[in-house]
């Protein structure tokens, strides 16, 4: 490990320095980010070909990647905020790139949720100021601060969209598909996992923190799998699969296996980026349609993209000897060796089976299926540029798991489960496939779902966490502001302010008008009587003279 130190501020014993740490983990992760960002950049020129300000979009992509690289290499908690907060700021600009109401609301939800994590890290910086340094990675001398580990855990959960901070991740699908390929593979959503993996030795002494993280990760995996089974938006299904895999990574961290979580992070980044770019090709070639009920038979129109999408879907489902199999199978086997309760194993196995279930649902609906309403006209065919982007991600999605498992000694674990249980773990994709075809053959299951619209709405609202993240926070403030507006702006402030002044001036002017009119009439009467008196006096004088 190489640690480069650049002093910034030095005052007696107080010193703030800029650090760069280069080790095996950071170099592997930077290599993954470079491969994915390069492929996505090439892909962006094809996807955004009709965009007027395409260079502005590319510059934002590069700034986003630079922020992630800053987060990867900087171990200092103060300087790490440059990359951490940079990801949140640039993600806001990218999510609201399409300037409409939906994109703006999604960008605000993303930015405000991530701002919670920023505040928690600032609190950690304040708590650790007594040490005089803020290098967290691979350090043990901060273990006395149990509260710091909990704050860091919640800060990482906001970036990685764990329950109850999960609503922003599907909402971020309002961004262009190249942005989603970066955000949901190797940059924004993985920042929280990477931070917790690097600072794991700070959390390890706190069993309470790891217990809370385990509960949050299991619920996130289960919730994301349930929603993905019912969701019809193409991009949101893939986003929910990302949410499920983030739960798997956090679950691995809760079992005190940080390098295994990093192993799954790297393999997941490769096949998820490939899955997103192929999905973007389908959407771009079908008039921007994202509803899976209007897509189908794409194999005949887009054979190259659908081939790569099949590979990415198989890797996501954990089909043996794909890259996703090596990391996911290792996490499942090590979790079965851990002494947990039956409910933990049950939730974990059901959630992993959901992954293969919605993976095959996505493949059958889009690649091979022929739905009732299919858009036959294709706007643009596959370009040769896409093949270059696909192939670099394809080799990572197929071979990265085997290469890392063979060459990276930190993930070389010996598992001691029997052959029957090992076979059951390897056949998890088959369980999901069987469940999918069972529901497909027994259509009455789908018919019965119509009779439970509240249950379906509850699942699709991500267990009401969408409402919790939006209406729950907005509606009390809106009601309070309405009452304040009625009582202040439209109440006594109006009475004492403009309306009151206007009313007083109106009454005063009316009274003044009345007074003036009476004064004028009385003046006329006085003048009339004076004139009569003068005339009478003149007449009398003339009579006597």
């Amino acid at each position: 490990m190489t640690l480069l130190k650049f002093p910034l501020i030095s005052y007696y014993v107080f010193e703030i320095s800029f650090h760069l740490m280069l080790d095996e983990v950071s170099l592997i992760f930077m290599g993954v980010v470079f491969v994915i960002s390069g492929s996505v950049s090439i892909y962006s020129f094809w996807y955004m070909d009709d965009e007027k300000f395409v260079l502005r979009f590319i510059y934002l992509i590069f700034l986003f990647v630079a922020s992630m690289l800053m987060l990867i290499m900087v171990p200092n908690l103060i300087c790490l905020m440059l990359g951490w907060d940079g990801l949140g700021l640039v993600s806001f600009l990218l999510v609201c790139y399409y300037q409409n109401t939906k994109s703006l609301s999604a960008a605000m939800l993303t930015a405000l949720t991530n701002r919670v994590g920023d505040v928690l890290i600032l609190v950690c910086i304040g708590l650790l100021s007594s040490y005089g340094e803020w290098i967290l990675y691979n350090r043990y001398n901060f273990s006395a601060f149990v509260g710091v580990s909990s704050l860091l855990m919640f800060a990482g959960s906001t970036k990685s969209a764990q329950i109850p901070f999960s609503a922003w991740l599907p909402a971020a699908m309002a961004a262009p598909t190249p942005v989603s390929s970066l955000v949901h593979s190797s940059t924004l959503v993985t920042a929280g996992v990477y931070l917790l993996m690097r600072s794991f030795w700070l959390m390890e002494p706190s069993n309470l923190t790891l217990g809370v993280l385990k509960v949050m990760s299991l619920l996130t995996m289960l919730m994301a799998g349930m929603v993905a089974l019912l969701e019809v938006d193409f991009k949101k299904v893939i986003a929910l699969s990302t949410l499920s895999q983030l739960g798997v990574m956090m679950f691995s961290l809760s079992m005190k296996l940080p390098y295994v979580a990093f192993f799954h992070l790297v393999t997941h980044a490769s096949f998820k980026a490939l899955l997103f770019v192929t999905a973007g090709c389908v959407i771009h070639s079908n008039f921007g349609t994202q509803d899976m009920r209007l897509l189908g038979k794409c194999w005949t129109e887009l054979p190259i993209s659908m081939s790569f999408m099949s590979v990415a879907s198989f890797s996501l489902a954990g089909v043996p000897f794909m890259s996703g199999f090596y990391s996911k199978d290792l996490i499942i086997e090590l979790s079965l060796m851990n002494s947990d309760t039956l409910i933990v194993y049950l939730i974990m196995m059901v959630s992993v089976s959901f992954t293969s279930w919605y993976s095959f649902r996505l493949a059958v609906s889009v690649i091979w299926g022929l739905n009732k309403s299919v858009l036959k006209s294709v706007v643009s065919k596959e370009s040769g540029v896409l093949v270059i982007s696909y192939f670099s991600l394809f080799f990572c999605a197929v071979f990265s798991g085997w290469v890392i498992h063979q060459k990276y000694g930190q993930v070389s674990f010996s598992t001691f489960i029997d052959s029957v249980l090992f076979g059951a773990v390897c056949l998890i994709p088959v369980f999901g496939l069987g469940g999918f075809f069972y529901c497909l053959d027994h259509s009455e299951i789908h018919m019965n779902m119509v009779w439970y619209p509240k249950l379906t709405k509850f699942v699709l609202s991500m267990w009401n966490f969408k409402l919790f993240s939006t209406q729950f926070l907005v509606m009390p403030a809106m009601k309070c502001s309405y009452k304040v507006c009625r009582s202040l702006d439209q109440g006594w402030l109006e009475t004492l302010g403009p309306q009151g002044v206007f009313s007083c001036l109106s009454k005063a002017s009316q009274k003044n008008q009345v007074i003036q009119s009476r004064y004028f009439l009385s003046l006329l009467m006085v003048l009339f009587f004076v004139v009569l008196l003068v005339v009478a006096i003149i007449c009398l004088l003339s009579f006597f003279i």
Side-chain angles (χ1 to χ4, degrees):
M1 182 180 70
T2 302
L3 184 65
L4 304 177
K5 180 179 179 181
F6 305 94
L8 298 178
I9 300 174
S10 180
Y11 184 75
Y12 292 101
V13 296
F14 180 78
E15 182 181 13
I16 296 179
S17 302
F18 181 79
H19 296 80
L20 291 178
M21 187 173 68
L22 299 176
D23 61 346
E24 193 176 16
V25 172
S26 61
L27 291 177
I28 291 175
F29 199 17
M30 281 194 296
V32 172
V33 172
F34 280 131
V35 170
I36 294 177
S37 60
S39 302
V40 170
S41 300
I42 296 172
Y43 171 78
S44 299
F45 284 103
W46 174 82
Y47 189 86
M48 309 291 286
D49 57 347
D50 56 346
E51 177 62 35
K52 182 178 181 181
F53 304 103
V54 64
L55 288 179
R56 180 190 302 175
F57 177 77
I58 297 298
Y59 290 152
L60 287 175
I61 291 291
F62 288 162
L63 186 59
F64 195 65
V65 174
S67 300
M68 189 63 196
L69 294 177
M70 182 72 69
L71 177 68
I72 293 172
M73 292 188 294
V74 175
N76 190 301
L77 199 58
I78 293 180
C79 299
L80 180 140
M81 286 296 293
L82 295 174
W84 183 271
D85 210 8
L87 287 173
L89 176 61
V90 182
S91 65
F92 173 81
L93 298 176
L94 288 173
V95 172
C96 67
Y97 186 81
Y98 294 138
Q99 299 178 11
N100 51 53
T101 305
K102 180 182 178 181
S103 298
L104 180 59
S105 60
M108 287 298 298
L109 178 59
T110 302
L112 293 177
T113 305
N114 290 318
R115 183 59 60 184
V116 176
D118 300 343
V119 173
L120 294 177
I121 290 185
L122 291 175
V123 174
C124 292
I125 292 174
L127 292 176
L128 296 177
S129 60
S130 59
Y131 278 93
E133 63 172 314
W134 293 266
I135 298 180
L136 290 181
Y137 295 172
N138 299 327
R139 299 296 295 271
Y140 296 88
N141 57 343
F142 292 151
S143 59
F145 286 98
V146 180
V148 174
S149 63
S150 300
L151 292 175
L152 278 177
M153 185 268 293
F154 282 111
S157 298
T158 58
K159 268 297 195 280
S160 296
Q162 299 299 294
I163 283 179
F165 311 107
S166 303
W168 71 265
L169 194 141
M173 289 295 98
T177 303
V179 177
S180 303
S181 303
L182 277 175
V183 168
H184 292 264
S185 61
S186 61
T187 51
L188 182 64
V189 296
T190 59
V193 178
Y194 183 78
L195 176 66
L196 296 185
M197 187 272 295
R198 283 296 207 175
S199 58
F200 176 75
W201 290 267
L202 177 64
M203 299 190 304
E204 188 177 14
S206 178
N207 292 325
L208 177 61
T209 302
L210 295 179
V212 173
L213 182 62
K214 179 178 291 187
V215 173
M216 292 171 60
S217 62
L218 287 172
L219 293 179
T220 303
M221 292 165 55
L222 183 62
M223 181 265 292
M226 293 176 64
V227 179
L229 292 178
L230 298 176
E231 184 60 61
V232 295
D233 191 304
F234 190 19
K235 287 178 66 176
K236 284 188 177 181
V237 173
I238 305 177
L240 290 166
S241 71
T242 302
L243 185 58
S244 176
Q245 300 308 307
L246 290 172
V248 174
M249 300 173 201
M250 290 293 190
F251 181 68
S252 178
L253 285 172
S254 68
M255 294 189 301
K256 301 182 180 182
L257 300 170
Y259 291 109
V260 178
F262 176 71
F263 182 27
H264 190 56
L265 186 151
V266 172
T267 57
H268 169 263
S270 58
F271 65 73
K272 186 53 61 70
L274 179 61
L275 187 59
F276 260 112
V277 294
T278 53
C281 182
V282 174
I283 295 171
H284 187 68
S285 301
N286 288 275
F287 297 96
T289 303
Q290 297 182 197
D291 196 332
M292 293 171 59
R293 296 168 295 184
L294 301 178
L295 297 173
K297 212 68 174 180
C298 292
W299 180 267
T300 58
E301 302 289 347
L302 305 168
I304 299 176
S305 298
M306 295 304 98
S307 301
F308 287 106
M309 180 180 285
S310 301
V311 172
S313 299
F314 291 154
S315 186
L316 173 62
V319 173
F321 309 113
M322 304 293 287
S323 64
F325 168 77
Y326 285 94
S327 56
K328 187 187 294 185
D329 178 76
L330 182 61
I331 293 174
I332 295 173
E333 290 184 25
L334 292 175
S335 66
L336 293 175
M337 292 170 54
N338 198 13
S339 57
D340 280 320
T341 59
L342 179 61
I343 187 66
V344 172
Y345 295 134
L346 182 62
I347 294 177
M348 185 265 298
M349 296 298 288
V350 170
S351 303
V352 175
S353 299
F354 281 165
T355 303
S356 56
W357 193 333
Y358 60 70
S359 298
F360 286 111
R361 170 178 176 256
L362 184 147
V364 169
S365 299
V366 177
I367 301 176
W368 302 298
L370 181 62
N371 297 322
K372 293 181 179 179
S373 177
V374 180
L375 297 176
K376 285 294 184 183
S377 57
V378 177
V379 177
S380 59
K381 293 290 184 179
E382 294 168 299
S383 173
V385 178
L386 293 178
V387 179
I388 302 174
S389 177
Y390 288 161
F391 263 106
S392 58
L393 298 174
F394 167 77
F395 283 108
C396 293
V398 176
F399 300 109
S400 63
W402 178 79
V403 171
I404 296 176
H405 188 266
Q406 295 294 324
K407 302 298 182 181
Y408 190 48
Q410 299 286 353
V411 296
S412 297
F413 288 91
S414 298
T415 57
F416 302 98
I417 60 175
D418 54 21
S419 57
V420 177
L421 193 57
F422 177 76
V425 172
C426 293
L427 291 177
I428 284 178
V430 179
F431 299 156
L433 183 62
F436 171 75
F437 282 111
Y438 177 79
C439 292
L440 197 64
D441 293 336
H442 296 74
S443 59
E444 65 271 9
I445 296 178
H446 299 285
M447 296 300 294
N448 291 334
M449 288 298 294
V450 180
W451 298 103
Y452 302 100
K454 293 184 178 180
L455 178 61
T456 306
K457 184 178 180 181
F458 172 74
V459 173
L460 288 175
S461 64
M462 300 178 68
W463 297 356
N464 288 333
F465 279 110
K466 286 184 179 180
L467 303 178
F468 177 79
S469 301
T470 54
Q471 271 80 1
F472 178 78
L473 300 176
V474 173
M475 288 307 295
M478 292 292 291
K479 291 180 180 179
C480 181
S481 62
Y482 175 75
K483 292 181 180 179
V484 170
C485 180
R486 292 287 295 177
S487 61
L488 295 181
D489 290 347
Q490 298 178 359
W492 60 272
L493 280 180
E494 287 290 341
T495 303
L496 298 179
Q499 293 295 335
V501 173
F502 175 76
S503 179
C504 293
L505 290 177
S506 298
K507 292 179 181 179
S509 62
Q510 290 176 0
K511 291 182 179 179
N512 185 37
Q513 185 178 3
V514 172
I515 292 173
Q516 288 181 355
S517 61
R518 292 178 180 177
Y519 174 77
F520 183 72
L521 292 175
S522 61
L523 182 61
L524 289 178
M525 292 296 294
V526 170
L527 290 175
F528 178 72
F529 284 116
V530 169
V531 171
L532 288 179
L533 182 60
V534 171
V535 172
I537 293 174
I538 293 174
C539 292
L540 289 174
L541 291 176
S542 63
F543 178 75
F544 287 106
I545 295 174

